Amino acid sequence: MAFSSFYFYHENKQLNTMLLLDRATELLLENRLREAEFMFKQVLKQNPKNGKALFGLGRICMRLEQYDNAIYYLKRACEHLPKMLDPLYALADAFIAVGSPVDAKTVLEYALSVARHNAQIHYHLGQFYLDHGFIDNAYQVFQKGLECPSSGVSIFIIFELMQLAPTNEIPALMEKLTEFEGKYEHPKFQIIAYHAFATAHQALGEYKEAFEFYDKANKLQLEQCEFKTADMVPFFNRLLETCNSDFFDKPIDKVKSTFTPVFIVGLPRTGSTLLEQILTQHSQVGSIGESIIISDKIVPYLEMRTERDFPECIYETTTSMLDYCRSVYVDEVKKNRVQEEAVINKLPANFQNIGLIYKIFPNARFIHLTRDFRANAWSVYSNHFAENEPYFCSLTEFQLYADIEQQVMEHFSSHLNKSIFHVSYETLIDDPERTIQKLLNFIYLKYEPECMDFYKSRSKVSTLSKTQVRQPIHSRSLTRWQAFETYIEKELGQLTPKKN
């Protein structure tokens, strides 16, 4: 009888733990973080070594950007879930977030050592190597990943190899890719496969076949988009109406920030990553990357306080609201451990936030990057963007988006001419040293020759330009689009070359 009661007690306790974990995981998926945290901690009260609860708390800390706490929980989770890779991936991400790529590398390489036949860990480690400029290491790891049992991630590995492998290895990779045809029904796998085939044909100089696959990839991705670029026109019209002469004539708060906020804005694929990499080699320039802090936190706060949508809400800001917005942005800079005199945010889409940024930081400097339209359009069209947004996967949609961006920038330039520096990608490529000298002067800094050694840096780059910026400046990207000129003209019609 005593044994039966003991068994029933522990069986009931175990069931209760499972129920708590399941419910906590559901809450986490619903982003109800505080409730999920409470339940995970209840589990740990019963068993301080429960790996799933520790992992859950680590994930919550990551979402709350409490990275030191995340590392604490994720380390313990890894100890008690030795056969699970996800806690190791999360721990590596946490180390990267606190600026410890060496520790992240150690974690990922350990994960590989315990799961050598897992293609996914090869992909994760390969991406880490790419992000930090270890191109040869990435190539080798991706090759080993293809030797693992096939899975969906194998298509992504082949896609990466198509961009890294020498030409003589391309046909074998194409043959390998055909083995996956029809195996994975989700559109994202097919889109990546199409892009991989397109990249391969382009590398082989087979431009007609390359365009056909780019066309297939982009048309399929366009089908996944839930809106059209034309749907954005009313928003941008409201933006220009809100940020009118009266808006800029209103007195602004005199603010003394401890750093100069620098925003690189414009269209995607105009060279923002290259420019960021060059500028951040300067001893007094740091970066928070493509931070979405303005649209993700500051705009929702203002909408809540003013009870008005963006952009109208920025017309109703008070001094206290702007002070709070300023503190939110400063906290973001601190979280990224950036202490330099000039702090870059290189999110191109911030061109729509220039009016708001000006109110928060009157001393902000804006670098507007432009590029030859056809070169720009082709660079977007021939690269795979994970986001299902129409202007990333349609030449005609991109043309409309480019027209909108040009109109918005002309509007803000008419009001903030002295705060906006316009520079073309072509000028940056043709005369980089002189261009950087002018840009540094624009952000109140003196030129340092080290800026031109940007390609030697091992700082993290996670954009589509991650491999290009590990090379000295070259002009190949200026004319790459010309091999597809006929196809571009067919899509867009006969256009007069222009700049946006």
Side-chain angles (χ1 to χ4, degrees):
M1 186 69 179
F3 175 79
S4 178
S5 299
F6 176 83
Y7 178 80
F8 177 78
Y9 169 76
H10 282 277
E11 186 180 54
N12 192 52
K13 185 178 180 182
Q14 185 177 20
L15 178 61
N16 186 52
T17 297
M18 291 174 61
L19 292 172
L20 280 173
L21 284 172
D22 288 344
R23 181 56 184 152
T25 302
E26 289 175 4
L27 291 168
L28 181 55
L29 290 173
E30 295 170 6
N31 209 37
R32 295 162 64 179
L33 303 185
R34 294 304 179 192
E35 296 170 76
E37 178 185 21
F38 174 78
M39 290 197 172
F40 281 131
K41 286 185 174 180
Q42 290 296 101
V43 172
L44 288 181
K45 282 184 180 180
Q46 300 175 14
N47 179 9
K49 296 182 179 181
N50 188 290
K52 291 183 178 180
L54 292 165
F55 182 34
L57 289 172
R59 291 168 66 192
I60 290 172
C61 290
M62 288 292 289
R63 290 199 193 175
L64 295 174
E65 299 177 342
Q66 298 171 353
Y67 299 121
D68 291 331
N69 289 339
I71 289 172
Y72 167 75
Y73 284 118
L74 292 170
K75 275 185 175 180
R76 292 180 61 198
C78 291
E79 291 174 9
H80 300 294
L81 298 171
K83 295 183 179 180
M84 285 185 63
L85 292 176
D86 286 345
L88 290 167
Y89 297 150
L91 180 58
D93 289 341
F95 277 129
I96 290 172
V98 299
S100 299
V102 173
D103 289 320
K105 178 173 175 285
T106 300
V107 170
L108 291 173
E109 289 178 344
Y110 167 76
L112 180 63
S113 72
V114 298
R116 291 198 177 276
H117 300 295
N118 186 304
Q120 189 179 47
I121 180 55
H122 286 81
Y123 181 71
H124 274 270
L125 182 56
Q127 285 296 330
F128 173 86
Y129 285 143
L130 279 184
D131 288 352
H132 291 84
F134 300 101
I135 309 301
D136 291 339
N137 298 62
Y139 174 63
Q140 293 167 12
V141 169
F142 286 140
Q143 279 191 314
K144 289 290 185 184
L146 272 191
E147 298 173 8
C148 299
S150 297
S151 65
V153 77
S154 302
I155 298 177
F156 288 81
I157 290 176
I158 294 174
F159 174 63
E160 297 294 346
L161 284 171
M162 289 295 193
Q163 301 170 77
L164 300 175
T167 306
N168 64 319
E169 293 182 10
I170 296 293
L173 287 170
M174 294 175 74
E175 186 176 344
K176 182 75 174 175
L177 189 56
T178 58
E179 297 176 9
F180 293 94
E181 289 185 2
K183 286 189 176 181
Y184 299 100
E185 295 182 0
H186 195 286
K188 72 176 181 180
F189 295 108
Q190 191 61 64
I191 291 168
I192 287 292
Y194 284 150
H195 269 290
F197 276 122
T199 303
H201 284 296
Q202 184 172 348
L204 296 172
E206 299 166 354
Y207 300 118
K208 179 178 181 294
E209 292 83 355
F211 184 83
E212 288 173 353
F213 276 106
Y214 282 130
D215 189 52
K216 289 179 180 179
N218 284 291
K219 282 181 176 176
L220 181 56
Q221 187 161 11
L222 188 60
E223 291 175 5
Q224 316 309 311
C225 299
E226 298 180 352
F227 68 98
K228 297 294 183 184
T229 308
D231 298 335
M232 304 169 66
V233 171
F235 162 78
F236 283 106
N237 287 339
R238 287 166 42 221
L239 176 68
L240 300 186
E241 290 169 4
T242 300
C243 297
N244 54 20
S245 297
D246 290 341
F247 175 84
F248 285 103
D249 288 342
K250 290 176 68 175
I252 58 173
D253 295 338
K254 293 182 179 181
V255 178
K256 287 186 178 180
S257 56
T258 57
F259 59 89
T260 301
V262 179
F263 295 84
I264 301 176
V265 300
L267 295 170
R269 304 298 295 170
T270 52
S272 60
T273 300
L274 172 62
L275 180 57
E276 177 203 38
Q277 283 296 101
I278 296 173
L279 291 176
T280 51
Q281 302 317 301
H282 193 284
S283 61
Q284 291 305 318
V285 180
S287 176
I288 58 174
E290 295 189 351
S291 174
I292 58 173
I293 186 69
I294 293 174
S295 58
D296 202 40
K297 292 186 179 179
I298 291 176
V299 167
Y301 163 76
L302 291 176
E303 289 180 327
M304 180 270 294
R305 285 293 307 272
T306 63
E307 297 183 346
R308 300 193 68 183
D309 292 334
F310 183 81
E312 288 81 8
C313 65
I314 64 177
Y315 205 88
E316 305 294 331
T317 55
T318 63
T319 298
S320 63
M321 290 181 198
L322 292 173
D323 284 341
Y324 178 81
C325 294
R326 211 167 286 123
S327 68
V328 169
Y329 198 88
V330 170
D331 285 346
E332 179 74 2
V333 172
K334 290 178 180 177
K335 286 176 186 175
N336 283 269
R337 292 167 167 76
V338 179
Q339 300 176 337
E340 285 80 7
E341 289 182 17
V343 180
I344 293 172
N345 182 334
K346 64 173 289 291
L347 183 69
N350 268 328
F351 73 84
Q352 66 190 28
N353 294 320
I354 289 177
L356 172 58
I357 294 168
Y358 169 70
K359 286 296 183 182
I360 299 172
F361 292 110
N363 66 323
R365 311 299 272 169
F366 301 94
I367 300 173
H368 177 219
L369 273 171
T370 64
R371 187 176 182 181
D372 176 89
F373 174 73
R374 296 191 196 187
N376 193 183
W378 180 252
S379 184
V380 171
Y381 192 75
S382 61
N383 278 277
H384 174 253
F385 290 80
E387 298 84 1
N388 292 325
E389 298 176 18
Y391 35 82
F392 289 150
C393 47
S394 164
L395 290 170
T396 52
E397 293 282 334
F398 181 76
Q399 183 179 24
L400 177 56
Y401 187 70
D403 290 343
I404 291 171
E405 188 269 351
Q406 184 176 22
Q407 181 186 8
V408 171
M409 287 309 305
E410 286 175 352
H411 175 86
F412 283 121
S413 295
S414 68
H415 293 286
L416 298 172
N417 184 48
K418 293 182 179 179
S419 298
I420 302 176
F421 190 107
H422 302 273
V423 60
S424 73
Y425 178 71
E426 291 76 16
T427 300
L428 178 61
I429 297 299
D430 290 340
D431 194 358
E433 192 165 353
R434 181 171 172 77
T435 302
I436 295 303
Q437 287 174 350
K438 290 181 178 180
L439 284 171
L440 286 169
N441 182 60
F442 175 67
I443 58 177
Y444 316 113
L445 295 172
K446 292 182 178 180
Y447 176 73
E448 292 179 358
E450 290 79 8
C451 290
M452 291 298 104
D453 292 329
F454 67 93
Y455 57 91
K456 299 177 183 178
S457 171
R458 289 293 178 263
S459 60
K460 182 182 178 182
V461 178
S462 55
T463 67
L464 295 174
S465 303
K466 63 179 72 175
T467 55
Q468 292 95 320
V469 296
R470 307 303 180 181
Q471 309 168 40
I473 287 177
H474 58 78
S475 60
R476 294 190 296 275
S477 58
L478 298 180
T479 57
R480 189 174 290 127
W481 68 275
Q482 293 175 0
F484 299 92
E485 184 172 8
T486 301
Y487 309 107
I488 296 172
E489 288 180 350
K490 186 177 179 181
E491 290 288 318
L492 294 175
Q494 298 292 328
L495 294 174
T496 301
K498 63 177 181 176
K499 293 184 184 290
N500 284 315

